[in-house]
Amino acid sequence: GEDVEQSLFLSVREGDSSVINCTYTDSSSTYLYWYKQEPGAGLQLLTYIFSNMDMKQDQRLTVLLNKKDKHLSLRIADTQTGDSAIYFCAESFGNEKLTFGTGTRLTIIP
Amino acid sequence: GAVVSQHPSWVICKSGTSVKIECRSLDFQATTMFWYRQFPKQSLMLMATSNEGSKATYEQGVEKDKFLINHASLTLSTLTVTSAHPEDSSFYICSARPYPHAGNGLAGVYNYEQYFGPGTRLTVT
């Protein structure tokens, strides 16, 4: 079955880089995603990576995928206070449903 | 592009009553809409998948007679929580997946992506 796990909390100083990690068990996923959820709001898609890619960069965001270890990470460069949120990784299989991780609450220390 | 709205954004109802939540794709047509629920400090759990014009597919453990889903058009899906109880109190989030055709040529909209609504907080007293 599908199981996606993340650390629950991460604290980072403003201006530093944040690295949020995610592990998953099902290697047949097609796409892997990172979503951001601010308090009381829905989910915002930040970026996604196709399963045959190793890395994807989009401005301050860098996604690394290690298929062998089933490990996905999101690096946020120059972390700002507006980056405070819960970050969810998710995987999908073909065009089917998303399976979400447990979420990581990112707190920025001034 | 790719805006999904939900209405209401929050609702308080008495135990035993029914509540309807709407999910609309505002600037694209959605073949499929998904309904999730999220408990405090927890992840999103998929409740059901609805395709326009057909019956919804419910995840294991979700009562289809309690959570009625209607997807009558390519831009609207509704979730009705029937005979609500306090344990149904939760944050309900919908998402919509664009219909893959040229008419959805919005910049930055990917046909197989899911775009999420802002959520509806339901409190049952």
Side-chain angles (χ1 to χ4, degrees):
Chain A
E2 309 125 13
D3 195 14
V4 184
E5 299 206 355
Q6 301 174 236
S7 299
L8 290 180
F9 302 99
L10 176 66
S11 294
V12 173
R13 290 202 176 277
E14 188 174 2
D16 288 351
S17 293
S18 306
V19 179
I20 304 170
N21 295 300
C22 173
T23 58
Y24 58 97
T25 56
D26 195 325
S27 58
S28 61
S29 54
T30 308
Y31 289 95
L32 295 118
Y33 306 81
W34 283 104
Y35 286 88
K36 177 183 181 182
Q37 184 181 35
E38 298 189 50
L43 272 69
Q44 173 194 357
L45 175 66
L46 289 177
T47 187
Y48 67 95
I49 188 169
F50 190 52
S51 59
N52 69 353
M53 296 171 63
D54 298 323
M55 186 183 90
K56 180 179 180 180
Q57 186 158 1
D58 183 3
Q59 299 181 345
R60 292 193 297 128
L61 305 179
T62 303
V63 179
L64 294 178
L65 175 59
N66 182 328
K67 284 202 75 173
K68 174 175 172 289
D69 294 338
K70 298 176 190 167
H71 182 265
L72 180 73
S73 69
L74 173 69
R75 177 177 180 270
I76 306 173
D78 187 25
T79 309
Q80 303 297 310
T81 54
D83 296 324
S84 292
I86 300 176
Y87 291 81
F88 291 95
C89 63
E91 59 178 346
S92 68
F93 310 86
N95 302 328
E96 298 304 317
K97 62 184 181 181
L98 290 169
T99 299
F100 284 89
T102 46
T104 299
R105 182 178 296 273
L106 176 63
T107 301
I108 312 306
I109 304 166
Chain B
V3 178
V4 176
S5 70
Q6 283 184 239
H7 177 79
S9 54
W10 59 269
V11 57
I12 302 172
C13 71
K14 290 186 184 299
S15 187
T17 61
S18 295
V19 175
K20 180 186 285 188
I21 302 170
E22 293 184 348
C23 177
R24 291 183 187 272
S25 55
L26 297 185
D27 50 6
F28 65 95
Q29 294 181 323
T31 314
T32 305
M33 288 185 172
F34 302 85
W35 287 96
Y36 298 83
R37 66 187 299 181
Q38 184 182 30
F39 291 106
K41 299 182 180 178
Q42 292 189 26
S43 188
L44 280 74
M45 300 301 295
L46 180 65
M47 299 174 66
T49 303
S50 75
N51 292 294
E52 185 264 340
S54 63
K55 290 185 179 180
T57 302
Y58 290 81
E59 294 299 300
Q60 192 173 5
V62 178
E63 299 174 59
K64 63 180 181 181
D65 294 328
K66 180 169 184 59
F67 298 100
L68 301 179
I69 291 173
N70 183 278
H71 192 160
S73 78
L74 284 172
T75 59
L76 173 65
S77 176
T78 60
L79 167 68
T80 301
V81 183
T82 62
S83 187
H85 290 282
E87 56 266 30
D88 298 324
S89 298
S90 187
F91 194 52
Y92 291 87
I93 302 177
C94 73
S95 70
R97 190 162 66 198
Y99 183 66
H101 65 73
N104 266 335
L106 297 167
V109 175
Y110 305 97
N111 283 333
Y112 297 109
E113 279 309 308
Q114 288 187 36
Y115 294 93
F116 285 80
T120 297
R121 184 162 302 283
L122 169 64
T123 303
V124 185
T125 60

